[in-house]
Amino acid sequence: MTLSNLLYIKTGDIDPYDKEYGYFSEKDRLETLDSVRKTFTFGYDSYMKYAYPSDELNPIFCEGRGPDYEDPSNININDVLGDYMLTLVDTLDTLAIMGNVTEFKRAVQLVIDNLSFDKPSTVQVFEVTIRIIGSLLSTHLIITDQEQPFGDLKPTDYNNELLMLANDIASRLLPAFENTATGIPFPRVKLDQGVPEDCINETCTSGAGSLVMEFGVLSRLTGDPIYESYARRAVKRLWEYRSNITGLLGNVINIQTGQWKGQMSGLGAGLDSFYEYLLKTYILFGENEDYKMFKEMYDSIKFHMRRGRLKCNKGDGNPPIYVNVNMKTGETVNHWVDSLQAAWTAVQVLNGDIDEAICSHALYYSIWKKYGVLPERYNWYLRVPEVTFYPLRPELIESTYFLYQATKNPFYLHVGRDILNNLNNYTHAECGYATIHDVNDKTKEDRMESFFLSETCKYLYLLFDKDNHLNKAESRYVFNTEGHVFPIDDRFRRKPWETEGAESEAPSTVLSVVNVKKNSTFSNCETVSDEQKFFMPMKSPYYQQMKSAVGIGD
């Protein structure tokens, strides 16, 4: 019996959206998977041909890009680029996950032989941590995995060189945590000197409070507690400075006084990964305090930021949306959402809040459908972009992948193919994939950020590769905020610097990450219904309402 027959039996009629999105053939899946691989390969090969060992590829003029040493104030470039082969390092575990054994081994050897951090580059602590340290640790763990689930990826005579490189650059970041009255780190360091003399005393919440995953893994692999202790101290201090009225945090804080310089609270830039890491560090390390903080923050966010009807797929009223508010009052402070907030859906999935995740995702996919790509900032009241560029960000496809893993609904395969097609139609350049300068006219900028290969292509590939180990192992891995994978492993539930026999706070059950259908650890996990598996995850009238809300059809 065909799917259409089953739909007819259950509904008496076939909804147009169910007809469009209710089925994705095996042939389509395999063709799309092949297309993702070709997209990645074109971007990666172009980087290696035209840009390596520079940090990034300029895909229009086919050349490399590194730090802007002539203009130290150009933090849009210098916060990320440190003359450390960024794109190659950031892409290592993508090569592994895609099963490119030969190129993976070659790339690892290039990193071992050539990577040095003894550079006069001033970089952002957060970006270095999630991209460089995250990838080095993830790749080290893949190489040293005795089961080698992605293929025989261990280079000849590998001797923990990637772990040592991670330790090297992390040690160069430690001065950021010193000479700060609150314990919240400075935002930047100069790799060969420490904190620059002119470094500001202000940092964003996510930048200071999203370091525990990488620093914690490094501490537990090396036995040196300093990394995790510094990172956790920063989180605890930020937590202490939250509003005693709303429980919310602001987005910019003075690291010497603890005074909030930016009092906007939201789910996007400046705050996003702080919430994400409270949940993910609990999943990875099993420390109950992390989940306690996350749960309290999650409840505060729902109470103060959420607008619209009570349920995603039930009732009357405007579509649900999470808005930016004043941290002290919960009052709406502006009418925009940014593209980084699209990752909140994945956090909702991890927390088992599937119906809410479906609605959050539908908002951002509707904006994508309107423009073909996702503007950096979108005014939901005026229904226009406020910041018009799209730098190949992965957050929407990340959330699409997580929702598909949770529901197996073919709708999300259609979404993924739509995103892939638009990337190829609008961002394909002479030798790579380019940032969209303006979503209205699709003009391009000459930059391909490293996260395009490390995250955007990775999540697209995993969405369509149903036999990938990460999917077949029922997600016994957790991704950092740059898409690097860490195994949920008993060795990360122990602190080797503590005395043997000391009681651990870790739960006896190792948590599944996105397999919410079987995860009974969280009491708020929803069961995924048959309707959410086979019909439109957001009921058609509500989906049409969401599209109308962003101006599709105007």
Side-chain angles (χ1 to χ4, degrees):
M1 183 176 289
T2 67
L3 179 67
S4 297
N5 294 143
L6 292 172
L7 291 173
Y8 182 82
I9 290 170
K10 185 163 185 178
T11 65
D13 195 6
I14 301 177
D15 182 278
Y17 286 120
D18 287 326
K19 186 175 181 180
E20 180 179 358
Y21 295 113
Y23 179 67
F24 202 89
S25 72
E26 180 68 2
K27 179 175 178 288
D28 287 341
R29 184 189 70 81
L30 292 172
E31 288 178 352
T32 310
L33 180 64
D34 183 61
S35 182
V36 175
R37 184 182 290 276
K38 289 176 179 176
T39 297
F40 170 82
T41 300
F42 178 60
Y44 176 80
D45 287 352
S46 295
Y47 165 77
M48 294 303 295
K49 180 177 181 179
Y50 298 108
Y52 172 81
S54 296
D55 288 314
E56 287 180 350
L57 169 67
N58 290 344
I60 296 176
F61 286 99
C62 304
E63 59 189 14
R65 178 196 293 263
D68 186 353
Y69 288 121
E70 294 183 0
D71 182 10
S73 67
N74 185 5
I75 59 175
N76 181 48
I77 297 297
N78 293 330
D79 271 359
V80 178
L81 309 189
D83 192 19
Y84 37 36
M85 306 188 298
L86 174 62
T87 295
L88 180 61
V89 174
D90 210 4
T91 306
L92 290 175
D93 63 350
T94 306
L95 289 168
I97 289 165
M98 294 178 72
N100 193 335
V101 173
T102 301
E103 184 58 25
F104 173 82
K105 289 182 177 179
R106 185 177 84 94
V108 168
Q109 200 60 52
L110 285 172
V111 169
I112 291 172
D113 292 342
N114 299 291
L115 183 58
S116 169
F117 299 119
D118 193 19
K119 304 290 177 65
S121 306
T122 299
V123 292
Q124 192 185 82
V125 172
F126 170 72
E127 294 290 356
V128 169
T129 299
I130 66 170
R131 300 197 198 200
I132 297 289
I133 298 176
S135 184
L136 291 172
L137 292 174
S138 174
T139 307
H140 167 75
L141 290 165
I142 289 172
I143 289 172
T144 56
D145 187 334
Q146 294 301 311
E147 296 182 2
Q148 290 291 287
F150 301 105
D152 182 11
L153 295 172
K154 189 169 184 178
T156 304
D157 300 324
Y158 180 74
N159 191 29
N160 299 328
E161 289 91 346
L162 299 185
L163 177 59
M164 289 186 281
L165 283 167
N167 190 66
D168 178 7
I169 193 167
S171 68
R172 297 170 186 267
L173 303 183
L174 291 181
F177 297 85
E178 301 164 0
N179 299 316
T180 158
T182 63
I184 300 170
F186 285 92
R188 298 175 181 89
V189 298
K190 194 171 185 181
L191 291 177
D192 63 348
Q193 291 184 7
V195 177
E197 291 183 2
D198 60 350
C199 189
I200 61 173
N201 285 314
E202 295 176 4
T203 190
C204 69
T205 302
S206 57
S210 308
L211 309 171
V212 175
M213 278 188 75
E214 297 81 5
F215 277 36
V217 169
L218 181 59
S219 279
R220 296 178 194 223
L221 288 175
T222 62
D224 187 345
I226 190 169
Y227 302 112
E228 183 171 352
S229 62
Y230 273 174
R232 286 193 177 277
R233 183 181 67 179
V235 171
K236 289 177 180 177
R237 295 314 302 272
L238 286 166
W239 184 256
E240 291 168 1
Y241 290 122
R242 73 193 187 282
S243 168
N244 59 6
I245 300 171
T246 64
L248 300 175
L249 298 96
N251 59 339
V252 179
I253 195 168
N254 185 297
I255 65 171
Q256 304 297 353
T257 66
Q259 185 176 34
W260 290 103
K261 310 303 289 186
Q263 295 189 8
M264 188 192 83
S265 194
L267 300 176
L271 285 150
D272 52 343
S273 56
F274 178 84
Y275 316 126
E276 173 190 356
Y277 270 32
L278 290 179
L279 180 55
K280 288 184 174 180
T281 52
Y282 171 65
I283 291 170
L284 187 59
F285 302 122
E287 305 229 1
N288 293 325
E289 185 64 23
D290 293 338
Y291 185 66
K292 181 181 178 182
M293 287 189 288
F294 172 79
K295 181 64 167 62
E296 184 175 329
M297 186 59 65
Y298 195 84
D299 291 343
S300 295
I301 286 168
K302 262 193 168 180
F303 185 82
H304 292 288
M305 297 183 196
R306 193 183 186 281
R307 306 289 188 267
R309 64 177 174 272
L310 186 61
K311 296 288 185 180
C312 175
N313 272 311
K314 189 183 298 184
D316 300 320
N318 294 323
I321 185 174
Y322 288 79
V323 303
N324 299 317
V325 301
N326 182 288
M327 64 170 290
K328 296 182 177 179
T329 66
E331 296 177 351
T332 304
V333 294
N334 54 50
H335 295 128
W336 53 261
V337 293
D338 67 40
S339 61
L340 290 173
Q341 186 174 328
W344 179 246
T345 296
V347 177
Q348 291 172 310
V349 172
L350 287 180
N351 195 42
D353 206 351
I354 303 302
D355 203 51
E356 282 287 290
I358 287 169
C359 246
S360 296
H361 179 274
L363 169 64
Y364 280 92
Y365 181 51
S366 296
I367 299 170
W368 177 284
K369 290 288 284 185
K370 183 176 182 179
Y371 297 101
V373 292
L374 201 60
E376 188 74 351
R377 184 181 291 179
Y378 177 79
N379 187 307
W380 48 265
Y381 182 76
L382 299 176
R383 302 195 296 190
V384 296
E386 284 196 4
V387 179
T388 61
F389 67 89
Y390 168 66
L392 308 171
R393 289 201 187 278
E395 284 76 17
L396 178 59
I397 188 60
E398 173 189 0
S399 290
T400 303
Y401 166 68
F402 271 72
L403 266 172
Y404 181 70
Q405 286 300 102
T407 67
K408 300 301 182 186
N409 192 305
F411 171 77
Y412 297 109
L413 297 178
H414 285 276
V415 172
R417 183 170 62 180
D418 186 23
I419 291 173
L420 175 66
N421 289 340
N422 285 10
L423 287 171
N424 282 308
N425 289 337
Y426 299 131
T427 73
H428 190 280
E430 181 68 22
C431 52
Y433 293 85
T435 291
I436 295 297
H437 175 71
D438 190 328
V439 300
N440 295 296
D441 59 18
K442 307 301 186 295
T443 49
K444 298 184 179 75
E445 288 183 22
D446 196 14
R447 186 177 187 186
M448 186 178 85
E449 292 218 40
S450 68
F451 52 65
F452 176 69
L453 298 178
S454 72
E455 292 187 85
T456 307
C457 288
K458 180 184 290 162
Y459 285 123
L460 276 169
Y461 188 82
L462 287 171
L463 176 63
F464 293 100
D465 187 15
K466 69 177 184 181
D467 296 322
N468 194 281
H469 171 69
L470 287 180
N471 297 328
K472 293 180 72 174
E474 295 193 321
S475 303
R476 298 188 71 82
Y477 292 82
V478 61
F479 295 87
N480 87 335
T481 198
E482 184 73 6
H484 299 304
V485 293
F486 297 117
I488 303 172
D489 195 302
D490 282 341
R491 71 191 134 156
F492 299 137
R493 301 305 179 92
R494 298 188 296 269
K495 299 176 181 178
W497 54 87
E498 292 185 346
T499 57
E500 292 187 12
E503 289 190 14
S504 171
E505 293 185 13
S508 58
T509 302
V510 177
L511 303 180
S512 173
V513 179
V514 298
N515 188 19
V516 296
K517 296 187 291 296
K518 297 180 180 179
N519 185 356
S520 60
T521 304
F522 296 137
S523 60
N524 62 319
C525 275
E526 300 174 355
T527 300
V528 177
S529 66
D530 288 340
E531 190 172 3
Q532 288 174 318
K533 294 178 185 176
F534 301 116
F535 293 86
M536 278 292 292
M538 190 177 193
K539 292 178 181 178
S540 295
Y542 296 126
Y543 180 59
Q544 183 58 49
Q545 181 195 34
M546 184 70 81
K547 291 171 64 177
S548 299
V550 303
I552 294 178
D554 286 358

